[in-house]
Amino acid sequence: AISKCGFGNFGQQYTLRSDWNRTWYTDKPDLTECFQNTVLVWFPCFYLWLLAPFYALKLYCHDCGCIRISTLCTAKTVLGFLLASFGFVEFFYILLERSHEIQNHMVFLLSPIIRSLTVVLAICIIQLERIRGCRSSIFLFLFWVLAVVCSLVPLRAKIQLVMYENPCPVKDASFLSKMLFWWFTGLVVKGYRTPLEAGDLWNLREEDTSDKIISDLEEEWTTECAKLQQQEKTMAAGVALGTRLPDQAQILRKLQKEQSSGFCLLRTLARNFGPYFLTGTMCIIFHDFFMFAIPQVLSLLLGFMNEEDAPLWKGYFYATLMFLLSCLQSLFNHQYMYTCFTVGMRVKTAVMGLVYRKSLVINSASRRTCTVGEIVNLVSADTQKLMDFVVYFNAVWLAPIEIALCLFFLWQHLGPSALAGIATVILIFPLNGFIAKKRSKLQVQMKFMDGRIKLMNEILNGIKILKFYAWEKAFLEQVLGYREKELKALKKSQILYSISIIAFAMFGVYVLIDDKNVLDAQKVFVSMALINILKTPLSQLPFAMSTTMQAIVSLKRLGKYLCSEELKDDNVAKAPLNGEGVLIDNGTFSWTKEGPPCLKRINVCVPQGSLVAVVGHVGSGKSSLLSAMLGETEKRSGSVSIKGSVAYVPQQAWIQNATVQDNVMFGREKQKTWYQRVLDACALLPDLEILPAGDSTEIGEKGLNLSGGQKQRVSLARAVYRKADVYLLDDPLSAVDAHVGQHIFDKVIGPKGVLRDKTRVLVTHGMSFLPQADLILVLVDGEITESGSYQELLSRHGAFADFIHTFASNDRKESVTETAAQREVIIAIDEQTFASHQQAIHHVNEHFGMEPMSEIDEEQVPEDLGKLMEVDKAHTGRVRLEMYMEYFKTIGMAFIIPIVFLYAFQQGASLAYNYWLSLWADEPIVNGTQVDTDMKLAVYGALGFAQGIAIFGTTVAISVGGIIASRHLHMDLLKNVLHSPMSFFETTPSGNLLNRFAKEIDAIDCMIPDGLKMMLGYLFKLMEVCIIVMLATPFAAVVILPLAILYAFVQSFYVATSCQLRRLESVSRSPIYTHFNETVQGASVIRAFGEQPKLSPQLIRLSSPDIRRWLAVNLEFVGNGVVLAAAILSVMGKDTLSPGIVGLAVSHSLQVTGILSWIVRSWTDVENNIVSVERVKEYADTAKEAVWTVEGSSLPLAWPQTGTIEFQDYGLQYRKGLDWALKGITLKIQEREKVGIVGRTGAGKSSLALGIFRILEAAKGEIYIDGVNIAEIGLHDLRSRITIIPQDPVLFSGSLRMNLDPFNTYTDEEIWSSLELAHLKNFVSNLPDKLNYECSEGGENLSLGQRQLVCLARALLRKTKILVLDEATAAVDLETDTLIQSTIRQQFEDCTVLTIAHRLNTIMDYTRVIVMDKGHISEMDSPTNLISNRGQFYRMCREARLV
């Protein structure tokens, strides 16, 4: 689209830095479209018009006599007029074709006119010069040079557009090409020669782009929603007048609401996509017309065979007519399918977009009812169901009409005996309806799948915790529990489906019973052709019905989600206030409409430009207060208003899976000096020096490869970079070291910081910052109990003053002198982080090590240096045979041989059954009847019955085989993933893994068995047809062989391309889910920054439907060739052939086209879906961690009894060839010893913990616990006998009890006592369900501090001899911190405790302190001795004012 450029904002356009970023600070300089269309066009024109009068004057004064008109002069004039006319043509083109783009950009209309008028002026000057005798002129020469130079830039832009744009050829295709899909051939050939890449696909047509589709639908949907809400309001008002509704009525209301929202969505979709869909419906009606004409022509052809003296030309005429009708039928059918798939694709994209945008505005109450897993499922599964519905919907009403027509024609041919057939149909219908209903009930499989995906999502998010606690087995069991239920439902559904197929096979049996009637070829085979037509609608109907049922369920689910409550815009008034930055007047807030209020009687007035600190205990409502200011909570009463734009830093940093720079700029343009200032203020520069590619380093999902402190600082930098007016900071300093915290406070938040003129609301647990705050709010249980400045509150001697005095000692220890902060170089990066990067960066030179990059300059960073996440790769080429072998191996040979045998038997029975009919039809007629009718009928019936039984057998066998295979494959995938080391999860996006567990496993469950059933069925059917045609006319072999070769040729072209397209689609889907996941989790941040519109995902571009149609159209011509051959050869052999065998051959050859396209379709389905086996198997070959338990190990049950730990020359590397993270560590920790581990960030503190838990294996040396070498025992034996309280507290959705004790090994009493010790007993006993309280996904419904305490309770419950604390108290206030410390001292008195400490005051009474530096121990002794030695520890203590 044309970039904005009207006269009004024309001048500002250039002042924007964005243009400089595009023109100057870039590798590929370019001028803005506005500049190209104005300045570059006008400059030469301006020159000519300005100087022309003076030049004309000069010519007027110097007359040298007239020059005769030469050919050159004529040529110049003609060319000049041509140039001028181009400008006028362009003017009209823009006016007519692109009028909607230029409403506010009149410049684009003016420029061509100005250019043309200037050229006319130039021609006039040429003529003037000729008349005044001037032969050459520098004046015009300069004009032409300027004009050429200025048009070079637009020319380059246009050439680039043509080169990089890869437009879809369907736009310019001819009618014939569109009908036969020839426009697609280019891509097919390309895909056959070389495997397709994403770049080879065409750009989408304008009407297929996600932006266009979604924006169109969104407008419609918003109005629909408004109507719905209006209805609800009126209903609610009606109810309010009466009494409270009884429960049943309420449930009914709720159901009604869901239904109406579903229908609303359907209405909106129909309005948007209906017209195009109707063109497809027209095609299918034409197709039906031709389909029913064919049996009539067949009847004429067989009549011709019976007549002795009919002229031959009639036979050829009928044969050709049949061929033509067949061809037309194919063409219309495929046009219909193409429109259906296109509409389906658009519907899917549109609904995806709606769900995505909804997930950004949904309120907290609705957010609790649907987890991330469920939202991802709406996007993946439910949108697909809608797409299927669009494709099969017409069958719902067309199939009954087709069936009625068939029965009418049968009646014409057979008379009353057709009633038997009608009766059968009438019987089959209710049976199929009943079965379809049963199957849709079995859709509970979806529910189990939802649960399984949700659980997988959490497992992947909390994998580190699972590994530390050795909980993988418990969660493995849970996932498998869901899986078993899912497969059970699937199995029932498949067997029911098999029953419904039998009836068709037995159908033909009864049609022809009536001993008075004589069966001749004409009757039999025309009826057979009609019955074959009848089979299609009969088989489609149940399928179409069940698809419709599923779509209705999906529509309800989607409608319910899309109509769920949104955040009200009026929650926060964006009013320009006088002097106040934030004002809350008598506010009461809650998280849900019905729930208890989380904040009561809140009155806050934050003066503009002031710093307000919010303090209070864990769970007192500090974060809720910020949420209320953001408008995230339900406002019960009062008002909230905020002045200007807002930036928000959440308590748990939300990090995008993008580069550091993208995270900080968050959609804004880069301003170099400001950007550097922000990085410096947020103490990120030293980190960037260590990151492999500086600020171009990619951060893993959820900031996996950054330490907690770095994540928090990146999150803070993002807010600071915004230059917003109001800053809401939710405890951003808890995750960083004390001196870094001080640095950030001074440089960013404090009175001298970057934000000193902004309004800042800071939630904090750090006492040292309070004296510098302008206003302090004290929160207790959701109410503000005190407020005022630091001195005021102290002088009041309230709760706050007591609190401060209690912790005054701590306070001194906590705060850090500014000079120390300036003196020390702040390097803050977790060594674990750095290394996980290194591990992912296979391209970094091996000696790269840890040398900091001298220059952080984007220009010098190679592309793949900072890459961390492994993008989901598309495999290339055909699917390898091994994959099929793998799949069949998992089913087992014992199963496969009977399946093949059953198929052969089924087809044999079918052949005999048909041949028997043709023999019967040729029987001579003796006085009006045929001989032995009963015997013939009996044989016929028996053959039909045998065929029915065989069909049932094959379908059941394949379904059961498929379930066996998918159970095995899922089990292997799950085990492979859970057995992978931590490094695997750091480099693999969770979207990829979830895609494997959702999409790929679903394909293995359903698609592959269905595809195999169809493929085998049709393959054998094709063999049968070929045998019959050759029996009748052996000469047909001559035609069938070349056709078979042609078929194989077309097929090979198709499969190669189709598989590639399918894989590209799969791969393009993964990032959508990852992006979705990320967005839903960061919704509050995205909203606070007002970035909703920018993040809409680019949804998929697809060409699969087109390729299917390309193939089918071309194949069906091959099939129609077989019809033509059979018919013409029959006419030629009229004298020798009996009508019975001709009827058999021709009616069977009519099925070939259908059979061929189904074979290819099912074949490619299997081939495309077998890719899923390949993708599921992919993780079998990745590196795995050591075994969980060692068989027959002699480890005593009570190990470790004493808890001694001994390191012997221990070394740790994150990857071979990198620098050592730990080197030469030798130390012995005695039983019951308390050891603190300190050191600057990046010194190797966490690496020690990772080593003890064998999250990383030793590169050299050993660790002994109680004299047992830990490398020789199983990982679970080790990890379940020692305990860690990790840095970030992770909870899983499920009961609180499950979170504390997933294996159910402890009694309730033990759990309660651990909760009591963790200071959670009061909190939990006040919860409605006590221990069975459902934690939401990620423990969102507990505050961060409470989650930390739950982790402490876990440790107290396990009570092992060794406890490792990884700075577990970063997220709690000082009071809770003191409680935790004292609990640990009492409860773990007889245990060995290792604490990785950031706050030195917590370890001053430990028996020993280890000071780490660059991976080795620099000092080790008791704290008092270390201080008297005046070494590194002494310096650290002095900084923290502890000495």
Side-chain angles (χ1 to χ4, degrees):
I2 294 174
S3 71
K4 288 193 176 58
C5 169
F7 283 137
N9 55 10
F10 167 52
Q12 311 159 16
Q13 195 73 15
Y14 305 123
T15 60
L16 287 178
R17 285 203 175 79
S18 65
D19 298 353
W20 284 111
N21 280 339
R22 185 172 166 179
T23 314
W24 197 248
Y25 303 116
T26 170
D27 310 332
K28 299 188 181 124
D30 198 5
L31 292 165
T32 59
E33 209 170 340
C34 182
F35 192 87
Q36 291 180 25
N37 281 300
T38 50
V39 179
L40 293 184
V41 176
W42 298 348
F43 184 61
C45 302
F46 182 68
Y47 157 82
L48 194 68
W49 286 96
L50 193 69
L51 299 181
F54 302 110
Y55 186 61
L57 196 65
K58 177 198 164 224
L59 287 177
Y60 187 69
C61 301
H62 299 272
D63 185 1
C64 305
C66 182
I67 303 172
R68 277 187 318 125
I69 294 181
S70 63
T71 40
L72 183 64
C73 180
T74 319
K76 275 184 184 175
T77 312
V78 172
L79 276 172
F81 277 117
L82 272 175
L83 270 175
S85 64
F86 279 149
F88 293 113
V89 169
E90 189 182 350
F91 170 78
F92 284 112
Y93 166 73
I94 290 181
L95 201 61
L96 298 171
E97 288 287 310
R98 305 176 66 177
S99 52
H100 62 285
E101 291 176 15
I102 54 159
Q103 278 143 5
N104 30 4
H105 317 308
M106 296 312 293
V107 173
F108 292 103
L109 273 178
L110 278 179
S111 293
I113 292 287
I114 294 174
R115 196 187 310 130
S116 296
L117 292 176
T118 310
V119 173
V120 172
L121 177 66
I123 299 169
C124 297
I125 291 174
I126 292 174
Q127 294 306 327
L128 186 64
E129 285 179 341
R130 186 182 63 76
I131 293 166
R132 309 301 283 175
C134 174
R135 284 197 176 276
S136 73
S137 99
I138 185 153
F139 174 63
L140 272 183
F141 174 73
L142 273 179
F143 164 70
W144 290 118
V145 168
L146 272 177
V148 169
V149 170
C150 287
S151 49
L152 281 176
V153 178
L155 181 71
R156 168 179 171 268
K158 288 195 169 70
I159 290 172
Q160 274 184 327
L161 198 68
V162 172
M163 278 171 61
Y164 294 120
E165 218 176 41
N166 189 358
C168 184
V170 72
K171 276 198 282 196
D172 312 322
S174 64
F175 173 73
L176 197 63
S177 169
K178 276 182 185 163
M179 285 300 285
L180 297 169
F181 297 93
W182 283 341
W183 56 270
F184 202 83
T185 312
L187 192 65
V188 178
V189 174
K190 195 174 198 173
Y192 183 67
R193 290 200 184 126
T194 56
L196 290 177
E197 305 286 321
D200 297 330
L201 299 184
W202 299 306
N203 293 346
L204 290 171
R205 292 177 293 181
E206 162 75 15
E207 61 266 31
D208 286 336
T209 53
S210 55
D211 292 342
K212 174 105 176 73
I213 296 171
I214 295 171
S215 56
D216 287 358
L217 187 71
E218 202 171 19
E219 284 171 27
E220 293 255 348
W221 177 243
T222 322
T223 49
E224 277 290 336
C225 259
K227 277 189 212 159
L228 251 183
Q229 277 156 359
Q230 199 52 49
Q231 284 174 4
E232 266 190 31
K233 271 182 195 155
T234 47
M235 274 176 72
V239 172
L241 296 174
T243 51
R244 192 176 162 274
L245 281 173
D247 287 349
Q248 279 131 332
Q250 277 186 322
I251 290 171
L252 213 66
R253 281 267 313 274
K254 199 175 160 198
L255 279 172
Q256 266 179 329
K257 185 183 162 187
E258 270 180 39
Q259 285 213 308
S260 59
S261 59
F263 284 127
C264 238
L265 181 60
L266 186 61
R267 229 188 2 247
T268 317
L269 289 172
R271 218 174 289 149
N272 252 13
F273 304 108
Y276 184 51
F277 182 70
L278 285 176
T279 57
T281 310
M282 286 305 297
C283 290
I284 194 78
I285 290 171
F286 278 116
H287 158 264
D288 274 14
F289 172 74
F290 293 124
M291 181 171 75
F292 281 112
I294 292 173
Q296 307 306 323
V297 180
L298 174 65
S299 167
L300 292 172
L301 179 70
L302 292 175
F304 158 82
M305 294 295 290
N306 268 338
E307 281 181 46
E308 303 276 306
D309 47 357
L312 267 184
W313 69 265
K314 277 190 182 168
Y316 291 125
F317 171 70
Y318 294 145
T320 323
L321 188 60
M322 272 176 79
F323 173 66
L324 281 175
L325 287 173
S326 299
C327 289
L328 284 170
Q329 180 194 347
S330 320
L331 282 183
F332 279 106
N333 186 24
H334 295 302
Q335 281 304 322
Y336 163 69
M337 293 302 274
Y338 176 63
T339 35
C340 276
F341 272 110
T342 313
V343 173
M345 209 48 240
R346 286 179 191 171
V347 166
K348 185 175 174 177
T349 306
V351 175
M352 265 178 157
L354 282 183
V355 172
Y356 178 82
R357 292 184 179 184
K358 181 70 177 189
S359 63
L360 287 171
V361 293
I362 188 170
N363 70 8
S364 57
S366 316
R367 178 66 203 282
R368 290 185 174 192
T369 55
C370 41
T371 59
V372 181
E374 281 166 15
I375 295 175
V376 170
N377 224 345
L378 283 178
V379 171
S380 56
D382 289 312
T383 50
Q384 186 59 46
K385 295 269 189 306
L386 282 191
M387 185 174 168
D388 295 342
F389 166 69
V390 171
V391 176
Y392 291 106
F393 167 68
N394 273 333
V396 174
W397 64 272
L398 255 180
I401 296 175
E402 287 173 359
I403 291 168
L405 276 172
C406 275
L407 295 176
F408 168 71
F409 286 125
L410 277 174
W411 177 277
Q412 273 194 328
H413 275 275
L414 302 174
S417 64
L419 284 174
I422 296 174
T424 318
V425 173
I426 290 170
L427 281 174
I428 287 176
F429 258 114
L431 176 71
N432 276 345
F434 168 72
I435 287 175
K437 198 167 176 186
K438 269 288 216 214
R439 286 190 77 195
S440 74
K441 279 220 183 87
L442 287 170
Q443 274 303 304
V444 282
Q445 166 213 348
M446 282 297 292
K447 193 176 73 192
F448 297 132
M449 184 171 162
D450 269 359
R452 180 168 61 87
I453 301 302
K454 178 178 144 189
L455 187 60
M456 272 321 297
N457 191 19
E458 293 193 50
I459 289 178
L460 297 175
N461 289 345
I463 188 74
K464 200 168 186 174
I465 302 294
L466 290 193
K467 295 224 169 288
F468 272 137
Y469 286 133
W471 278 0
E472 293 104 329
K473 272 197 184 132
F475 281 85
L476 183 86
E477 297 299 314
Q478 272 186 301
V479 174
L480 291 179
Y482 276 119
R483 181 74 183 142
E484 276 312 305
K485 287 180 193 156
E486 190 183 346
L487 287 179
K488 229 184 223 143
L490 194 72
K491 199 185 231 164
K492 276 187 196 155
S493 160
Q494 291 286 13
I495 287 175
L496 276 171
Y497 177 65
S498 315
I499 295 174
S500 67
I501 295 180
I502 296 190
F504 302 145
M506 315 183 80
F507 174 52
V509 179
Y510 306 105
V511 175
L512 311 164
I513 311 176
D514 186 1
D515 52 358
K516 293 286 171 289
N517 280 355
V518 177
L519 280 187
D520 61 0
Q522 210 168 344
K523 275 186 191 166
V524 171
F525 291 109
V526 173
S527 307
M528 286 303 282
L530 284 167
I531 288 168
N532 280 331
I533 289 179
L534 188 51
K535 275 185 186 170
T536 313
L538 277 180
S539 61
Q540 264 184 359
L541 201 65
F543 188 68
M545 282 185 160
S546 79
T547 312
T548 310
M549 291 286 167
Q550 286 175 15
I552 289 172
V553 173
S554 290
L555 272 171
K556 275 188 207 159
R557 280 174 56 155
L558 285 161
K560 179 182 163 193
Y561 179 70
L562 291 174
C563 283
S564 53
E565 303 232 339
E566 297 184 7
L567 291 166
K568 299 191 187 71
D569 293 336
D570 60 356
N571 274 352
V572 175
K574 295 275 185 187
L577 299 180
N578 35 2
E580 282 101 28
V582 182
L583 180 67
I584 301 181
D585 186 23
N586 195 15
T588 302
F589 305 92
S590 64
W591 283 108
T592 56
K593 268 188 176 166
E594 291 79 33
C598 55
L599 294 169
K600 305 180 279 292
R601 298 186 281 286
I602 301 289
N603 285 295
V604 179
C605 170
V606 181
Q608 207 174 331
S610 62
L611 168 60
V612 175
V614 181
V615 294
H617 293 309
V618 171
S620 61
K622 302 185 295 293
S623 300
S624 304
L625 182 64
L626 293 193
S627 295
M629 291 178 182
L630 286 170
E632 298 274 318
T633 50
E634 281 283 339
K635 184 172 67 176
R636 292 281 183 85
S637 63
S639 65
V640 183
S641 40
I642 283 193
K643 182 170 186 181
S645 57
V646 179
Y648 168 56
V649 180
Q651 194 167 12
Q652 271 190 306
W654 173 71
I655 303 287
Q656 282 179 287
N657 180 193
T659 61
V660 179
Q661 181 175 324
D662 292 344
N663 264 293
V664 173
M665 298 194 321
F666 198 49
R668 289 292 162 105
E669 293 293 346
K670 183 167 184 180
Q671 301 167 15
K672 222 164 186 174
T673 42
W674 174 240
Y675 177 70
Q676 288 301 338
R677 253 188 86 188
V678 170
L679 292 186
D680 176 46
C682 296
L684 278 167
L685 288 176
D687 303 336
L688 294 185
E689 286 187 16
I690 307 185
L691 288 176
D695 62 358
S696 307
T697 307
E698 188 188 352
I699 305 178
E701 263 183 86
K702 303 197 186 63
L704 255 173
N705 49 334
L706 296 184
S707 68
Q710 283 165 320
K711 281 194 274 201
Q712 205 47 283
R713 293 202 299 278
V714 169
S715 174
L716 182 65
R718 174 196 298 146
V720 177
Y721 189 78
R722 287 306 267 214
K723 295 187 173 166
D725 303 318
V726 177
Y727 280 82
L728 305 177
L729 311 167
D730 195 350
D731 204 5
L733 303 176
S734 64
V736 297
D737 294 3
H739 55 278
V740 181
Q742 190 66 46
H743 167 95
I744 290 177
F745 187 80
D746 296 338
K747 288 284 188 72
V748 182
I749 306 166
K752 299 197 187 71
V754 193
L755 305 179
R756 55 183 172 272
D757 307 329
K758 311 286 188 185
T759 311
R760 292 141 295 160
V761 179
L762 171 71
V763 169
T764 181
H765 291 140
M767 295 296 134
S768 55
F769 309 128
L770 296 181
Q772 301 181 50
D774 303 318
L775 174 67
I776 297 171
L777 304 175
V778 184
L779 271 172
V780 177
D781 291 337
E783 292 193 49
I784 297 180
T785 52
E786 299 176 80
S787 69
S789 70
Y790 187 70
Q791 292 308 326
E792 281 171 22
L793 289 177
L794 279 184
S795 58
R796 281 189 207 155
H797 301 300
F800 178 77
D802 302 344
F803 186 60
I804 290 292
H805 290 313
T806 322
F807 291 103
S809 49
N810 282 18
D811 169 24
R812 270 206 306 283
K813 300 174 195 170
E814 284 294 320
S815 95
V816 179
T817 51
E818 282 175 44
T819 47
Q822 283 148 10
R823 202 173 53 241
E824 284 289 343
V825 182
I826 298 166
I827 293 184
I829 180 165
D830 204 316
E831 73 284 10
Q832 165 189 357
T833 307
F834 172 60
S836 65
H837 252 295
Q838 296 298 43
Q839 205 171 11
I841 302 151
H842 305 297
H843 317 280
V844 182
N845 307 334
E846 295 296 22
H847 66 271
F848 177 86
M850 269 203 180
E851 298 157 26
M853 295 172 71
S854 54
E855 187 66 37
I856 311 178
D857 208 12
E858 308 148 69
E859 280 72 39
Q860 299 164 1
V861 176
E863 273 290 287
D864 47 5
L865 187 63
K867 288 299 280 175
L868 168 79
M869 287 315 206
E870 294 181 8
V871 181
D872 221 353
K873 299 180 290 292
H875 294 261
T876 50
R878 288 287 294 269
V879 181
R880 301 195 311 283
L881 217 93
E882 291 101 82
M883 277 308 134
Y884 288 104
M885 297 319 295
E886 275 291 342
Y887 183 72
F888 292 132
K889 228 186 288 173
T890 40
I891 297 182
M893 254 353 217
F895 234 89
I896 287 168
I897 294 164
I899 289 176
V900 174
F901 176 73
L902 273 169
Y903 266 111
F905 174 70
Q906 171 195 330
Q907 238 40 55
S910 164
L911 183 70
Y913 161 93
N914 284 314
Y915 193 60
W916 186 256
L917 252 188
S918 80
L919 289 179
W920 186 350
D922 285 343
E923 275 281 301
I925 298 164
V926 184
N927 40 357
T929 59
Q930 288 165 316
V931 206
D932 295 341
T933 348
D934 300 344
M935 187 270 293
K936 286 178 181 142
L937 202 60
V939 172
Y940 180 66
L943 287 170
F945 185 72
Q947 191 187 356
I949 294 297
I951 289 181
F952 177 69
T954 46
T955 45
V956 170
I958 286 193
S959 304
V960 173
I963 285 173
I964 292 176
S966 72
R967 176 178 288 132
H968 278 301
L969 288 167
H970 176 264
M971 186 82 164
D972 291 349
L973 171 67
L974 188 58
K975 284 190 170 158
N976 281 329
V977 168
L978 287 182
H979 275 284
S980 297
M982 254 336 278
S983 54
F984 168 79
F985 296 98
E986 282 164 5
T987 55
T988 314
S990 64
N992 295 6
L993 290 168
L994 276 182
N995 202 1
R996 300 289 189 281
F997 279 103
K999 181 77 186 53
E1000 314 295 347
I1001 288 290
D1002 192 39
I1004 294 171
D1005 281 350
C1006 309
M1007 308 299 253
I1008 296 182
D1010 288 357
L1012 278 175
K1013 258 182 258 182
M1014 279 170 65
M1015 186 174 86
L1016 287 171
Y1018 285 115
L1019 261 176
F1020 280 107
K1021 186 83 185 144
L1022 185 67
M1023 280 160 54
E1024 180 193 343
V1025 173
C1026 289
I1027 292 170
I1028 286 178
V1029 174
M1030 287 191 194
L1031 272 179
T1033 50
F1035 199 60
V1038 184
V1039 185
I1040 286 179
L1041 274 173
L1043 283 178
I1045 292 164
L1046 182 66
Y1047 171 77
F1049 178 67
V1050 173
Q1051 155 98 352
S1052 64
F1053 259 94
Y1054 168 71
V1055 173
T1057 310
S1058 167
C1059 266
Q1060 274 314 309
L1061 285 176
R1062 193 62 174 266
R1063 284 172 179 167
L1064 286 172
E1065 182 210 352
S1066 254
V1067 169
S1068 69
R1069 194 185 277 120
S1070 282
I1072 289 185
Y1073 296 158
T1074 304
H1075 180 95
F1076 226 91
N1077 237 332
E1078 196 172 82
T1079 310
V1080 175
Q1081 276 157 351
S1084 55
V1085 179
I1086 296 173
R1087 274 199 293 267
F1089 282 93
E1091 283 292 313
Q1092 293 95 314
K1094 285 210 181 105
L1095 277 170
S1096 280
Q1098 269 311 308
L1099 296 168
I1100 328 160
R1101 49 181 188 176
L1102 270 189
S1103 316
S1104 318
D1106 320 341
I1107 184 166
R1108 271 206 178 151
R1109 306 282 73 81
W1110 173 86
L1111 161 91
V1113 167
N1114 289 304
L1115 273 191
E1116 296 203 355
F1117 281 116
V1118 174
N1120 293 334
V1122 176
V1123 177
L1124 187 65
I1128 285 194
L1129 287 169
S1130 307
V1131 174
M1132 286 163 78
K1134 183 184 176 200
D1135 309 329
T1136 53
L1137 294 173
S1138 71
I1141 201 86
V1142 171
L1144 188 65
V1146 177
S1147 66
H1148 267 71
S1149 67
L1150 281 175
Q1151 298 174 33
V1152 169
T1153 50
I1155 292 174
L1156 285 185
S1157 62
W1158 276 110
I1159 286 181
V1160 173
R1161 203 165 151 183
S1162 48
W1163 181 318
T1164 40
D1165 269 356
V1166 171
E1167 180 113 322
N1168 285 334
N1169 286 308
I1170 213 91
V1171 175
S1172 297
V1173 177
E1174 180 175 26
R1175 287 164 66 91
V1176 166
K1177 283 274 182 197
E1178 218 174 298
Y1179 296 132
D1181 314 326
T1182 50
K1184 301 284 174 282
E1185 48 182 14
V1187 289
W1188 284 348
T1189 47
V1190 176
E1191 285 299 310
S1193 79
S1194 54
L1195 202 62
L1197 270 178
W1199 177 90
Q1201 276 154 332
T1202 54
T1204 56
I1205 307 173
E1206 189 179 354
F1207 289 82
Q1208 292 184 359
D1209 191 27
Y1210 182 77
L1212 192 65
Q1213 264 173 316
Y1214 280 98
R1215 191 164 60 84
K1216 274 202 171 60
L1218 285 183
D1219 272 13
W1220 294 82
L1222 294 175
K1223 41 189 182 277
I1225 303 274
T1226 303
L1227 92 121
K1228 186 156 196 216
I1229 298 171
Q1230 303 301 338
E1231 60 181 294
R1232 301 182 60 173
E1233 199 170 0
K1234 309 285 179 282
V1235 179
I1237 303 169
V1238 296
R1240 292 257 170 258
T1241 320
K1245 308 187 294 281
S1246 302
S1247 302
L1248 269 178
L1250 295 178
I1252 294 175
F1253 279 86
R1254 280 177 64 197
I1255 297 291
L1256 287 172
E1257 298 288 353
K1260 65 168 198 200
E1262 288 93 25
I1263 301 179
Y1264 289 92
I1265 294 182
D1266 274 14
V1268 175
N1269 182 352
I1270 63 167
E1272 289 165 8
I1273 59 178
L1275 288 181
H1276 278 189
D1277 297 336
L1278 167 69
R1279 292 173 187 168
S1280 59
R1281 313 283 181 93
I1282 54 182
T1283 304
I1284 187 166
I1285 301 182
Q1287 205 168 5
D1288 19 350
V1290 176
L1291 299 190
F1292 301 95
S1293 65
S1295 66
L1296 196 58
R1297 192 198 154 98
M1298 192 280 302
N1299 268 297
L1300 291 168
D1301 169 29
F1303 289 100
N1304 273 335
T1305 37
Y1306 302 99
T1307 62
D1308 279 7
E1309 286 74 49
E1310 290 173 296
I1311 292 179
W1312 277 112
S1313 71
S1314 75
L1315 285 174
E1316 186 173 5
L1317 294 168
H1319 310 283
L1320 274 174
K1321 186 172 184 179
N1322 292 348
F1323 168 70
V1324 176
S1325 49
N1326 288 336
L1327 290 174
D1329 304 330
K1330 311 265 190 300
L1331 284 180
N1332 294 327
Y1333 177 66
E1334 277 293 314
C1335 300
S1336 62
E1337 201 169 356
E1340 303 261 323
N1341 49 0
L1342 298 179
S1343 77
L1344 197 62
Q1346 285 163 340
R1347 276 178 265 169
Q1348 195 81 63
L1349 294 175
V1350 172
C1351 289
L1352 173 65
R1354 279 178 192 162
L1356 291 163
L1357 198 57
R1358 285 167 73 126
K1359 197 73 192 297
T1360 54
K1361 279 288 181 196
I1362 296 176
L1363 173 70
V1364 180
L1365 284 178
D1366 189 354
E1367 194 51 45
T1369 51
V1372 292
D1373 55 90
L1374 283 176
E1375 201 170 340
T1376 320
D1377 187 14
T1378 319
L1379 286 174
I1380 292 179
Q1381 293 298 337
S1382 65
T1383 306
I1384 289 171
R1385 287 192 178 85
Q1386 291 158 16
Q1387 293 304 315
F1388 292 97
E1389 194 181 0
D1390 54 348
C1391 306
T1392 310
V1393 179
L1394 295 178
T1395 302
I1396 296 167
H1398 296 217
R1399 301 178 175 177
L1400 296 183
N1401 56 320
T1402 54
I1403 55 162
M1404 290 315 260
D1405 57 348
Y1406 278 27
T1407 43
R1408 242 197 308 182
V1409 170
I1410 299 172
V1411 183
M1412 300 288 297
D1413 184 40
K1414 293 186 183 146
H1416 55 78
I1417 297 176
S1418 66
E1419 303 177 342
M1420 175 167 63
D1421 209 334
S1422 66
T1424 39
N1425 293 355
L1426 285 177
I1427 289 173
S1428 57
N1429 292 346
R1430 305 215 153 210
Q1432 195 178 345
F1433 185 68
Y1434 169 71
R1435 285 201 299 280
M1436 290 168 83
C1437 290
R1438 200 176 60 203
E1439 263 174 51
R1441 290 188 183 176
L1442 293 173
V1443 289

